[in-house]
């Protein structure tokens, strides 16, 4: 059985005052059965991990460099993030693919470094609206999966998040049939590449406008092992019900 996971991505939101909200979330999730992860901006990782010590909430990062150290002004290595208290890192989010021209090859290199540093790599894939309307969704996500996952991926090292670009921050959500189609296609690709046992241990999250109002139906979809949540992860009152919905689906 794959352990369910709900991960919150705060993106470029939050200063020290947001730690109070995180404390509220840690309290709300004290009896959560699912794994709960919050990825605040890097500036908050150390303090956030202190706030969440002895709680069910783990802290993650939103990106890392592909190199282990060196002359990369302004960047952070996976080891630094791990040292600050992160246990996981989101990689290849569509906002990074778009804003920083990140390629599958770069995402794979980052994932390799992150895993070596002891972080779980949460690798994002997802089609744009133009790609969906052209009927290319499965080709796009399969190619991203193939290119972005390291060869030694396993359930303890890698989580895959399917995030249709057009659903992120828009309030638009694919139908449950569309989510089911992509998740079962991703699972089949994982089985083909890594073999059944390894593939079946890799968790597949759905992300894109997940809220407490739609979480239940999304979590009922086969092969959905949890969610990657942006906007609704910023407030404990919005995020905790999503965690409860995932617990109830288990
Ligand atoms: P959203 O973002 O929940 O605000 O749509 C999801 C994400 O970008 O991971």
């Amino acid at each position: 059985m794959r352990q369910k996971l709900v991960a919150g991505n705060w993106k470029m939101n939050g200063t020290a005052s947001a730690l109070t909200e995180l404390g509220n979330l840690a309290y709300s999730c004290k009896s959560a059965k699912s794994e709960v992860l919050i990825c605040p901006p890097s500036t908050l990782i150390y303090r956030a991990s202190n706030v969440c010590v002895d709680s069910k909430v783990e802290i993650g990062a939103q990106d890392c460099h592909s190199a282990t150290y060196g002359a990369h002004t302004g960047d952070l290595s996976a080891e630094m993030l791990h040292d600050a208290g992160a246990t996981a890192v989101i990689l290849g989010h569509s906002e990074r693919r778009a804003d920083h021209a990140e390629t599958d090859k770069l995402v794979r290199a980052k994932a390799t470094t992150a895993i070596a540093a002891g972080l779980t790599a949460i690798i994002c894939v997802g089609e744009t609206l133009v790609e969906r309307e052209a009927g290319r969704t499965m080709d796009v996500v399969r190619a991203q999966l193939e290119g972005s996952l390291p060869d030694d991926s396993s359930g303890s090292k890698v989580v895959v998040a399917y995030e249709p670009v057009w659903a992120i921050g828009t309030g638009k959500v694919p139908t449950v049939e569309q989510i089911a189609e992509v998740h079962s296609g991703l699972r089949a690709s994982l089985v083909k590449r890594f073999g059944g046992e390894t593939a079946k241990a890799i968790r597949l999250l759905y992300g894109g406008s997940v809220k407490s109002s739609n979480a239940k139906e999304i979590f009922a979809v086969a092969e959905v092992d949890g969610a990657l949540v942006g906007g609704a992860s910023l407030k404990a009152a919005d995020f905790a019900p999503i965690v409860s919905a995932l617990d109830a689906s288990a």
Side-chain angles (χ1 to χ4, degrees):
M1 269 301 277
R2 295 181 292 271
Q3 166 74 8
K4 307 265 177 184
L5 165 65
V6 58
N9 174 9
W10 282 10
K11 309 191 179 184
M12 200 170 71
N13 297 293
T15 53
S17 60
L19 296 170
T20 310
E21 203 57 39
L22 185 63
N24 295 341
L25 178 68
Y27 182 77
S28 308
C29 294
K30 61 184 187 311
S31 34
K33 287 186 280 164
S34 304
E35 220 173 284
V36 183
L37 177 77
I38 290 288
C39 302
S42 302
T43 46
L44 289 179
I45 289 176
Y46 179 70
R47 283 173 286 176
S49 60
N50 282 336
V51 168
C52 293
V53 77
D54 295 330
S55 87
K56 289 273 166 81
V57 179
E58 301 274 336
I59 299 300
Q62 300 172 16
D63 178 50
C64 69
H65 199 277
S66 57
T68 45
Y69 64 92
H72 302 288
T73 303
D75 280 313
L76 294 171
S77 74
E79 188 189 359
M80 290 168 184
L81 299 166
H82 186 260
D83 180 57
T87 59
V89 59
I90 299 168
L91 294 171
H93 188 281
S94 63
E95 285 152 15
R96 290 210 60 89
R97 290 179 186 264
D99 296 353
H100 300 273
E102 291 199 358
T103 60
D104 294 335
K105 193 172 165 216
L106 179 64
V107 174
R108 185 198 285 229
K110 289 182 176 201
T112 302
T113 314
I115 293 164
L119 298 174
T120 301
I122 302 176
I123 300 173
C124 304
V125 300
E127 82 287 2
T128 62
L129 190 57
V130 171
E131 289 162 344
R132 175 161 284 276
E133 286 175 345
R136 296 184 48 228
T137 298
M138 289 318 300
D139 290 344
V140 168
V141 297
R142 273 198 211 103
Q144 288 176 331
L145 190 76
E146 183 64 29
S148 307
L149 264 61
D151 287 334
D152 65 344
S153 293
S154 70
S156 59
K157 296 174 184 169
V158 164
V159 173
V160 174
Y162 167 54
E163 299 208 305
V165 179
W166 52 273
I168 295 176
T170 59
K172 295 194 186 110
V173 182
T175 62
V176 289
E177 290 79 14
Q178 288 171 326
I179 297 174
E181 184 197 8
V182 175
H183 278 239
S184 73
L186 291 174
R187 180 73 64 205
S189 296
L190 291 173
V191 169
K192 203 164 155 202
R193 175 159 170 204
F194 300 110
E197 206 174 315
T198 300
K200 284 191 185 121
I202 297 177
R203 291 172 286 181
L204 296 179
L205 309 183
Y206 167 77
S209 296
V210 176
K211 300 182 183 60
S212 58
S213 55
N214 59 23
K216 190 176 172 207
E217 62 171 355
I218 292 169
F219 295 149
V221 176
E223 305 292 349
V224 171
D225 301 310
L228 179 53
V229 183
S233 69
L234 294 169
K235 294 257 171 296
D238 295 332
F239 195 63
I242 298 174
V243 178
S244 304
L246 188 59
D247 280 354
S249 78

